[in-house]
């Protein structure tokens, strides 16, 4: 089974990214044919300075590698190093209508924020469909905010295959309920654009400030607390297994523990969970050459997987001659 996902290098990575996508991808490499990439072209829709994008790509690659993504066990590359994906995006763009793209929530949200949309922002989901279809992906692990993009990909796949023949594999979204929507410290979706994110590789001082600012209600130490309405409970649970979650819920309901103490425990969890990866991260950050070499190798592997599919798509739409069938060898 081929599992593929990508992440935009458009800022530091947070617990929402980690639990809904990064951790799951790292876990998948043991038992799936894993394809993971840094969505550099997509990030151009928001990061519009060359040095910032270059730095973001390096940092995202380093974070993934430091957390345990192993380029020997998967295919890990930078999207723009396999530029056939932009060609495929063009081939796919005639299999979706403008009015369908106008319905995309992420596009509508950006417009609602007053952003003047570039053509790139508008066609973002088409490039995303190309990422997925170019590699014959079966499954795509993402957070809930990407669900609609996956539906658009499936629509494009269906329309293209109906029109031109079975060229692409139909992908399935892979969204887990527990991590579909990780809340930020203010209770809204955790996002780097909302200033409510917990950046797991931040230093202790910054992490402490973020964790201590998680919103809570006014229940005191001696009051029972409702875990189901608590952002603190939701974030803390990400670090726990099922029995751990049940025990935490009990502690919420039983008077005696204050929010301050629970936050201190959560801070310790965050620090402990990411501590083992910090040293490797520092080493990689200091070795851009080593990281670039790994990414170049990854791009070669990715391109090898992409070539037969882009060739098939070019043939299907009629811009490349059909590959000549070789004459059968005579039996000796
Ligand atoms: P951001 O919203 O911070 O800009 P991205 O759009 O770069 O994050 O998201 C990268 C990946 O992380 C996607 O798979 C997305 O679904 C997931 N993701 C981002 N924020 C969250 C969140 N708060 N909860 C769950 N998944 C998230
Ligand atoms: N749109 C995704 C995000 O913002 C990133 C992305 C680009 C992606 N191409 C993809 C995710 C293909 C999964 C598959 O997070």
């Amino acid at each position: 089974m081929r599992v593929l996902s990508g992440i935009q290098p458009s800022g530091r990575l947070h617990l929402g990214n980690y639990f809904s996508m990064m951790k799951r991808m790292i876990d998948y490499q043991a038992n799936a044919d894993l394809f993971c990439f840094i969505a550099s072209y997509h990030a151009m829709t928001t990061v519009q300075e060359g040095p910032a994008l270059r730095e973001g790509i390096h940092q995202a690659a380093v974070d993934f590698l430091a957390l345990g993504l192993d380029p020997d066990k998967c295919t890990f590359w930078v999207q723009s190093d396999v530029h056939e994906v932009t060609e495929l995006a063009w081939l796919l763009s005639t299999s979706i209508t403008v009015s369908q793209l106008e319905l995309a929530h992420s596009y509508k949200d950006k417009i609602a924020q007053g952003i003047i949309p570039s053509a790139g922002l508008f066609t973002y989901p088409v490039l995303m469909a190309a990422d997925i279809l170019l590699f014959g992906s079966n499954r795509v692990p993402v957070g809930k905010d990407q669900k609609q993009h996956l539906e658009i990909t499936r629509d494009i796949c269906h329309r293209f295959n109906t029109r031109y023949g079975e060229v692409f594999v139909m992908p399935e979204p892979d969204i887990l309920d527990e991590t579909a929507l990780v809340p930020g410290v203010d209770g809204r979706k955790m996002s780097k654009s909302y200033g409510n994110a917990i950046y797991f590789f931040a230093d202790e001082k910054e992490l402490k400030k973020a964790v201590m600012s998680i919103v809570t209600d006014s229940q005191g130490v001696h009051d029972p607390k409702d875990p189901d309405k608590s952002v603190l409970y939701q974030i803390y649970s990400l670090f726990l297994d099922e029995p751990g979650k049940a025990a935490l819920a009990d502690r919420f309901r039983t008077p005696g523990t204050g929010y301050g103490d629970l936050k201190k425990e959560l801070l310790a969890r965050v620090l402990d969970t990411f501590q083992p990866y910090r040293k490797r991260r520092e080493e990689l950050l200091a070795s851009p050459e080593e990281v670039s070499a790994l990414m170049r190798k990854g791009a070669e592997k990715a391109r090898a997987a992409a070539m037969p599919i882009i060739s098939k798509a070019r043939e299907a739409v009629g811009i490349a001659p059909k590959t000549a069938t070789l004459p059968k060898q005579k039996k000796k």
Side-chain angles (χ1 to χ4, degrees), residues 76-107:
F76 182 42
W77 77 105
V78 178
Q79 181 188 33
S80 41
D81 287 346
V82 181
H83 36 75
E84 286 77 5
V85 74
T86 57
E87 179 182 9
L88 183 59
W90 180 257
L91 303 192
L92 299 178
S93 68
T94 56
S95 287
I96 181 113
T97 62
V98 167
S99 51
Q100 272 178 294
L101 290 176
E102 277 169 347
L103 294 176
H105 303 308
S106 62
Y107 176 72

Side-chain angles (χ1 to χ4, degrees), residues 144-321:
K144 195 173 159 196
D145 57 352
Q146 298 298 314
K147 188 166 182 247
Q148 194 190 28
H149 285 158
L150 262 295
E151 281 158 10
I152 295 176
T153 299
R154 286 170 57 86
D155 264 5
I156 292 179
C157 179
H158 176 72
R159 197 160 313 158
F160 189 101
N161 281 354
T162 308
R163 195 174 277 165
Y164 296 111
E166 289 292 311
V167 173
F168 299 117
V169 173
M170 183 62 79
E172 303 287 338
D174 179 5
I175 301 169
L176 285 188
D177 280 348
E178 309 91 88
T179 57
L181 220 164
V182 174
V185 297
D186 60 359
R188 292 187 293 164
K189 177 201 152 188
M190 187 178 288
S191 171
K192 55 198 161 232
S193 7
Y194 296 159
N196 66 357
I198 301 178
Y199 297 107
F200 46 85
F201 278 136
D203 62 22
E204 183 166 349
K205 195 170 156 218
E206 189 187 339
L207 276 172
K208 185 170 176 188
K209 197 169 160 216
V211 170
M212 291 300 164
S213 72
I214 295 174
V215 281
T216 49
D217 57 23
S218 56
Q219 297 297 87
V221 177
H222 304 295
D223 299 319
K225 302 164 188 67
D226 185 352
D228 300 328
K229 292 198 183 122
S230 167
V231 175
L232 177 58
Y233 176 79
Q234 280 182 62
I235 300 180
Y236 197 156
S237 314
L238 295 167
F239 293 87
L240 303 173
D241 56 13
E242 287 309 317
K245 282 183 212 170
L248 181 65
D250 267 353
R251 291 178 65 212
F252 265 72
R253 292 192 189 103
T254 315
T257 314
Y259 285 129
D261 288 334
L262 292 164
K263 286 181 180 177
K264 280 188 199 141
E265 285 174 32
L266 171 60
L267 174 64
R269 285 270 176 175
V270 180
L271 287 167
D272 284 356
T273 304
F274 296 99
Q275 187 55 38
Y277 311 118
R278 285 182 186 266
K279 190 163 164 277
R280 179 70 182 134
R281 180 168 179 268
E282 292 306 319
E283 286 166 8
L284 288 164
L285 277 177
S287 341
E289 287 309 318
E290 181 188 344
V291 176
S292 301
L294 286 175
M295 299 316 282
R296 272 197 305 275
K297 249 174 97 178
E300 280 168 29
K301 269 163 77 179
R303 172 167 286 117
M307 286 322 282
I309 301 182
I310 186 83
S311 302
K312 207 168 158 192
R314 286 171 60 92
E315 279 176 15
V317 302
I319 58 173

